[in-house]
């Protein structure tokens, strides 16, 4: 029986559901972009605000299937922020693609609801449904701009991969169900009662499947090959969604699994994850080193980034900083990605020929649009981990974890990876700061069309707020640390 | 609070200087000069009113003044700035070199003056941060952040377009060397803190606490050696010491003269400062164990730098390799573990920074009048110019230790210190110094004598250059004739070695 307090703690999701329902009704009777747009943005903002109300009643169990604690509240906030940002990003390039722009908002709304339920679920089935509810709108989002060839291709690829990953995940879940006889996360500790050689083998097997399922979604080492193609094809406003929400949610669920799982079953698995992390960091960085396409570079660097985040998963039990390091890295990734992709999106709106994918296009950007390129530089520096940005603290925490746990090989790969990543991130920055006396055809476009008016739009305001918060948190980290230390 | 001002004033001054470009193209350089002068006069004021009295009170204090503010309490990281004798001296030197670098760029860079002075002032600000911070985490932050303005200074638009790609690749090599070494240093710093946590069960990055870690037991431990070498690599790249010097000559070749002065004056000094302040006190046993090896490494540096300087044809490369040779002497005299040679090393460091910067300024002038940097194509300086040859000869002689200049005193004290330790070694060092005389003579002889037919009409240098060079030669004489000044400053606090 659900009491009012439990229902109240679902308020953020309920608001989004209501908004989704209303916009669905409007779409079926009379399409009105302005109304749906405002409704969705308002919905996201209200939902963000309602987190402050819910915050007082956590931790709370809702039935046996949902469990909200402080950890999930923070990440719900992150998800809603991404949703809000991708709505705003979409508005900046609506002129190019005029095919039912209302659908975009509804799809994002649905995907965020799915992601929210996946995070707060306490039951593997609800979790799976949440993941599917998140992934299916993504499918539509990736193929949203059908007038582009690559968009269709990437959509198809994502369809196949998403299905495969769901299959793996489902098989892993059912294997665990075989042993424990329960879908609930809280009952995982019963596994240690049955522990025997055979059971441990089956659990390890199940874990390999689950890890494969999530590995495809996060795109870490052996399952990474899809990511560059999809990043290349889709539009930037969907890319933001792709590169952040799926990965963050999959990671958080992985962590949820591990937190409730009995420790003694996991030692072999953690060794496996260390190997995955080692290779993801090296491979992602090396691939990105020789990349000339800025979207692909983002894809490969994200492989390395999430590979290094696996370190905080491995140290989950032995170190109390693991969750903080994860949280700080996630915040850094989200803020930097929103700024980086947002600015790329803005630049891409003036270019119809895909020139914006190459580095040449950004040559001398600083001398024409100082503020735009400074914001982009801040986000890149935060990715790379230069001091006085959050990225540096993320890197610091990961080094701390590695050194405390004495993972020497991971340490070497992370060290090398950090240096390599510095190099390719720097290439983008250098391109912006080089003054090119001969303006070629490619970057003539930038000179002509971008004026500094964009600062005064809602989008510009968002970009400036976010990049200021990167610098602010980079200097005053205490707030974030307190937020993530539960 | 004073210490914070030393960092904040140039930082804000940089932004003001950048933005003032919009109103008048001449404002940025004035604002930069005023900012540097404010810092310098602040230091002078405090030197004469605070520090002089400090000497008489006590000599066992570690810090002259201190400023501390908690930053990330959970890890025991605080915004801890403090000044001892060594850092006071280094800051003095940096602020003088800062003023010189503004003066010598007075008439360059018509287009991007604002941004140029922004990066110059930010380098200065970060250098202040490096010299003042005694929290290892804070130190590392400044150590990293200084790379960005230097990097921007290197890739700044130059006149010629064809050298652009090579300039960027040299800048990249500099950045990669620095990044790699500084990440190793970060690992070492975190490792130190973790060791402290395991031992005392609370987190700290403070220098004064971490210094006890290896000081308490005198046992041989492999971990200490590994950490020491890791941290030393971090500093050795910036000095640079021979296996890590790959970025150095190329960067100097493509840098504008101000950048060269910054790297010689600020960056190399931060490396040596780091070794003195952090490596030797934090890892006393392993530094002592490997001291002989490092002395030989420095010796290798001297010969290697001198030999390569002898075979170069590019003016700036000659000076760059010469400076590698000089730093080798400083490096080995640090590891001689002797009070005399330590003081000598500092005097030599200060004096070398001045004379090498002056040589870089003269290089840029030569390039301006002769339109080349090739030694074999420049000749007849002595006959055709009025002020330049005198200064040139003076700085060349000063860099090889003319009595009366600082280098002479420095060399003398270093050799005395090493002689006390090992007389034979001191002889070999003397041979190394002879090598530097050889390449300097060749350098001088090629440039000063001979005929140069196409003398341009401009046969005297501008008054601002004369002023700059005059300031530098004044300080060189000042150190040479009044070395007690530097030793007094060093002895303000408890000596490190």
């Amino acid at each position: 029986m659900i009491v009012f307090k439990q229902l109240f703690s679902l308020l953020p999701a309920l608001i989004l559901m209501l908004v989704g329902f209303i916009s669905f009704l409007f779409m079926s009777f009379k399409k009105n972009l302005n109304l749906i747009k405002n409704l969705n943005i308002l919905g996201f903002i209200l939902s963000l605000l309602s987190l402050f109300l819910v915050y007082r009643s956590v931790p709370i169990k809702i039935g046996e299937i949902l469990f909200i604690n402080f950890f999930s509240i923070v990440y719900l906030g992150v998800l809603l922020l991404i949703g809000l940002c991708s709505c705003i990003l979409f508005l900046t390039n609506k002129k190019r693609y005029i095919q039912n722009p209302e659908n975009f908002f509804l799809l994002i709304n649905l995907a965020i609801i799915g992601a929210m339920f996946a995070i707060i679920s306490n039951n593997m089935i609800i979790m799976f449904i949440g993941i599917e509810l998140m992934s299916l709108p993504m499918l539509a989002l990736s193929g949203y701009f059908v007038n582009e060839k690559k968009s269709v291709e990437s959509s198809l690829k994502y369809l196949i991969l998403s299905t495969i990953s769901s299959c793996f995940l489902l098989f892993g879940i059912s294997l665990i169900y075989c042993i424990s006889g329960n879908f609930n996360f809280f009952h995982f500790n019963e596994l240690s009662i049955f522990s025997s050689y055979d059971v441990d083998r089956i659990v390890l097997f199940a874990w390999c499947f689950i890890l494969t399922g999530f590995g495809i979604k996060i795109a870490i080492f052996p399952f990474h090959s899809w990511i560059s193609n999809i990043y290349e094809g889709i539009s930037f406003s969907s890319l933001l969604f792709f590169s952040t929400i799926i990965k963050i949610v999959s990671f958080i669920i992985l962590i949820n699994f591990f937190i409730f799982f009995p420790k003694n079953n996991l030692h072999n698995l953690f060794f496996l994850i260390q190997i995955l992390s080692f290779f993801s960091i090296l491979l992602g960085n090396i691939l990105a080193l020789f990349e000339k396409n800025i979207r692909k570079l983002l894809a490969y660097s994200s492989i390395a980034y999430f590979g290094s985040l696996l370190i905080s998963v491995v140290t989950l039990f032995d170190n109390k900083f693991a969750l903080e390091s994860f949280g700080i890295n996630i915040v850094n990734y989200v803020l930097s990605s929103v700024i980086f992709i947002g600015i790329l999106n803005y630049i891409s709106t003036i270019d119809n020929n895909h020139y914006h994918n190459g580095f040449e296009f950004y040559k001398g950007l600083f001398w024409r649009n100082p503020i735009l390129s400074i914001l982009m530089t801040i986000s890149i520096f935060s990715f790379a981990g230069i001091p006085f940005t959050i990225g540096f603290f993320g890197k610091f925490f990961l080094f701390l974890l590695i050194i405390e746990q004495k993972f020497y090989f991971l340490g070497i790969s992370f060290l090398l990876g950090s240096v390599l990543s510095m190099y390719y991130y720097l290439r983008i920055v250098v391109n912006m700061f080089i003054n090119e006396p001969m303006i070629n055809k490619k970057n003539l476009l930038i000179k002509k069309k971008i004026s500094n008016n964009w600062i005064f739009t809602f989008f510009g305001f968002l970009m400036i707020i976010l990049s200021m918060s990167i610098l602010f948190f980079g200097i005053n980290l205490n707030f974030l640390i307190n937020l993530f230390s539960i | 609070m004073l210490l914070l001002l030393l960092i904040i004033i140039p930082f804000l001054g940089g932004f003001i200087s950048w933005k003032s470009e919009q109103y008048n193209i001449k404002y940025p350089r004035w604002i930069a000069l005023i900012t540097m002068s404010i810092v310098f006069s602040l230091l002078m004021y405090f030197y004469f009113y605070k520090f002089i009295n400090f000497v008489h009170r006590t000599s066992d204090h570690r810090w002259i003044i201190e400023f501390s503010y908690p930053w990330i309490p959970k890890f025991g990281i605080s915004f801890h700035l403090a000044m001892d004798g060594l850092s006071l001296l280094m800051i003095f030197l940096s602020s003088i070199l800062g003023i010189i670098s503004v003066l010598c760029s007075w008439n360059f860079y018509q287009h991007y003056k604002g941004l140029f002075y922004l990066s110059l002032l930010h380098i200065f600000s970060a250098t202040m941060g490096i010299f003042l911070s005694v929290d290892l985490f804070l130190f590392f932050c400044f150590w990293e952040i200084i790379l960005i303005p230097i990097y921007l200074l290197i890739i700044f638009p130059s006149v010629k377009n064809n050298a652009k790609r090579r300039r960027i690749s040299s800048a990249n090599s500099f950045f990669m060397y620095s990044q790699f070494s500084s990440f190793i240093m970060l690992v070492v710093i975190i490792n130190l803190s973790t060791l402290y946590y395991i031992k005392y069960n609370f987190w700290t990055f403070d220098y004064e606490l971490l210094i006890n870690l290896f000081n308490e037991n005198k046992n041989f431990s492999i971990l200490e050696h590994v950490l020491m070498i890791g941290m030393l690599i971090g500093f050795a790249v910036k000095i640079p010491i021979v296996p890590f010097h790959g970025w150095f000559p190329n960067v100097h070749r493509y840098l504008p003269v101000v950048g060269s002065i910054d790297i010689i004056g600020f960056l190399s000094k931060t490396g040596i400062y780091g070794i003195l302040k952090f490596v030797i006190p934090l890892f006393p046993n392993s530094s002592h164990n490997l001291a002989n090896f490092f002395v030989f490494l420095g010796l290798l540096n001297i010969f290697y730098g001198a030999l390569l300087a002898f075979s170069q044809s590019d003016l700036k490369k000659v000076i760059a390799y010469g400076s590698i040779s000089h730093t080798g002497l400083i490096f080995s005299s640090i590891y001689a573990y002797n009070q005399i040679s330590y003081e000598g090393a500092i005097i030599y460091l200060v004096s070398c920074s001045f004379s090498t910067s002056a040589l870089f300024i003269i290089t840029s002038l030569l390039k301006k009048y002769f339109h080349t940097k090739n030694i074999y194509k420049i000749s007849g300086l002595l006959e055709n110019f009025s002020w330049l040859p005198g200064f040139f000869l003076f700085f060349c002689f000063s860099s090889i230790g003319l009595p009366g200049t600082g280098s002479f005193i420095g060399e003398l004290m270093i050799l005395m210190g090493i002689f006390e330790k090992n007389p034979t070694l001191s002889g070999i060092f003397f041979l190394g110094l002879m090598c530097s005389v050889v390449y300097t003579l060749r350098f001088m002889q090629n440039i000063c004598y001979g005929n140069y037919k196409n003398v341009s009409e401009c046969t005297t240098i501008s008054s601002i250059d004369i002023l700059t060079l005059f300031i530098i030669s004044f300080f060189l004489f000042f150190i040479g004739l009044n070395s007690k000044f530097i030793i007094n400053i060093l002895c303000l606090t408890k000596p490190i070695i």
Side-chain angles (χ1 to χ4, degrees), chain A residues 250-264:
Chain A
S250 314
F251 239 104
I252 291 169
I253 295 169
L254 207 58
I255 285 179
N256 271 344
F257 260 116
F258 283 129
I259 284 177
F260 293 114
F261 225 75
K263 226 194 285 182
N264 54 352

Side-chain angles (χ1 to χ4, degrees), chain A residues 124-324:
Chain A
M124 290 193 282
I125 290 297
I126 297 290
M127 178 210 82
F128 186 77
I129 291 172
I131 288 178
E132 285 301 296
L133 183 57
M134 177 184 72
S135 308
L136 289 177
M138 296 278 193
L139 194 61
L141 283 176
S142 67
Y144 193 66
F145 304 113
V146 279
N147 43 0
E148 288 188 31
K149 232 186 225 168
K150 281 192 173 168
S151 185
V152 181
E153 184 194 331
S154 63
S155 170
L156 198 65
K157 268 184 187 156
Y158 183 68
L159 168 70
I160 295 166
L161 273 154
S162 172
T163 324
I164 290 174
S165 94
S166 301
C167 289
F168 273 103
L169 200 60
L170 207 56
F171 189 56
I173 287 172
S174 52
L175 275 178
I176 287 182
Y177 178 72
C178 278
I179 306 285
S180 71
N182 204 321
F183 283 115
N184 208 316
F185 283 6
F186 283 143
H187 290 276
F188 280 159
N189 48 10
E190 288 168 13
L191 282 171
S192 58
I193 301 169
F194 307 119
S195 181
S196 72
Y197 182 75
D198 293 339
V199 168
D200 284 357
R201 278 301 136 104
I202 293 175
V203 169
L204 188 64
F205 198 57
W207 261 114
C208 287
F209 275 97
I210 291 177
L211 208 62
T212 311
F214 283 127
I216 292 172
K217 288 207 186 297
I218 305 169
I220 44 175
F221 158 60
F223 321 109
H224 63 274
S225 50
W226 59 277
I227 191 170
S228 63
N229 280 321
I230 288 179
Y231 268 53
E232 209 185 350
I234 60 182
S235 77
F236 280 113
S237 39
S238 327
L239 177 60
L240 175 64
F241 222 65
F242 251 90
S243 60
T244 50
I245 292 228
I246 296 182
K247 295 179 179 184
I248 292 171
V249 167
S250 314
F251 239 104
I252 291 169
I253 295 169
L254 207 58
I255 285 179
N256 271 344
F257 260 116
F258 283 129
I259 284 177
F260 293 114
F261 225 75
K263 226 194 285 182
N264 54 352
N265 290 3
L266 292 176
H267 288 299
N268 290 329
L269 190 73
F270 276 6
F271 181 66
L272 198 68
I273 296 179
Q274 279 183 45
I275 292 172
L276 293 191
S277 167
F278 178 86
F279 282 110
S280 309
I281 294 170
L282 280 186
L283 188 103
N285 281 317
I286 290 169
L287 282 177
L289 201 57
F290 302 106
E291 194 50 66
K292 290 207 166 66
N293 186 327
I294 210 160
R295 288 172 183 249
K296 282 190 174 182
L297 188 137
L298 199 64
Y300 293 136
S301 75
S302 86
I303 294 175
Y305 200 92
F306 281 91
S308 62
L309 270 187
L310 281 178
I311 295 166
S312 62
V313 172
V314 178
T315 52
L316 205 58
F317 294 118
D318 309 317
N319 200 302
K320 54 180 190 264
F321 298 124
L323 283 179
E324 286 171 25

Side-chain angles (χ1 to χ4, degrees), chain B residues 147-198:
Chain B
L147 294 180
I148 296 165
I150 287 184
Y151 187 80
L152 286 181
L153 206 63
I154 301 174
I155 64 162
F156 259 141
S158 78
V159 191
K160 277 185 185 169
N161 200 29
N162 55 359
K164 185 169 278 174
R165 191 156 295 282
R166 268 175 293 162
R167 196 177 63 243
I168 289 170
S169 75
S170 74
N172 279 342
S173 80
F174 160 70
F175 202 83
M176 295 320 290
Y177 265 98
S178 315
Q179 278 303 319
F180 195 71
S181 62
S182 64
F183 274 127
I184 291 175
M185 205 162 85
L186 178 63
V187 170
V188 171
I189 289 172
I190 295 173
N191 219 325
L192 273 178
S193 180
T194 316
L195 286 177
Y196 197 85
Y197 177 73
I198 291 167

Side-chain angles (χ1 to χ4, degrees), chain A residues 324 367 422 430 435 475 478, chain B residues 71 73-74 112 151 164 179:
Chain A
E324 286 171 25
W367 306 99
M422 211 54 109
V430 170
N435 184 37
I475 292 165
N478 287 322
Chain B
W71 186 11
K74 193 158 187 181
Y112 309 112
Y151 187 80
K164 185 169 278 174
Q179 278 303 319

